[in-house]
Amino acid sequence: MAYIKSIQTISHYGIFRNFVGTQLHPFGSKNLIYGWNGSGKSTLTSLFEAVETGKLDTARFPLAQFSLAEDGGATVSSGSIADCGLNVKTFNTSFVQKNINW
């Protein structure tokens, strides 16, 4: 199964106004994202969750655009999100709220 290898661009998506991922290390098959409060972790994982579900939140981010490279060389973008076959699992606050009954 294909997975996200790298982020090429993210624009108009939360804190990511015009992000180009040329200086990021490539992702592996499993990744941990961490950082300071307000650095974009939740926003980035919500983008990955959108890739997982095939639905971009256009109500919240109407102008959002992104481009991700797959490990096989293909590209997934905001225009092709519904048709991508990436193996993405996101375990974030949204996942906990939807799946764990305290």
Side-chain angles (χ1 to χ4, degrees):
M1 262 197 171
Y3 62 88
I4 298 171
K5 186 67 174 177
S6 64
I7 299 170
Q8 295 172 332
T9 61
I10 306 173
S11 62
H12 305 291
Y13 196 84
I15 194 171
F16 299 99
R17 294 288 167 215
N18 194 18
F19 178 80
V20 178
T22 55
Q23 296 182 345
L24 293 177
H25 292 283
F27 292 138
S29 60
K30 294 173 182 66
N31 301 277
L32 174 67
I33 298 171
Y34 64 95
W36 294 103
N37 291 344
S39 63
K41 301 177 304 294
S42 295
T43 303
L44 186 59
T45 60
S46 75
L47 177 63
F48 293 155
E49 184 178 7
V51 172
E52 179 181 1
T53 62
K55 298 176 193 169
L56 190 60
D57 187 353
T58 55
R60 191 169 160 207
F61 304 113
L63 302 175
Q65 298 287 317
F66 70 89
S67 178
L68 308 172
E70 294 183 20
D71 65 318
T75 300
V76 174
S77 68
S78 45
S80 65
I81 189 171
D83 301 323
C84 84
L86 286 172
N87 182 21
V88 178
K89 300 295 179 210
T90 306
F91 302 100
N92 57 9
T93 302
S94 175
F95 175 87
V96 170
Q97 290 171 345
K98 292 174 187 173
N99 295 287
I100 298 177
N101 184 3
W102 300 102

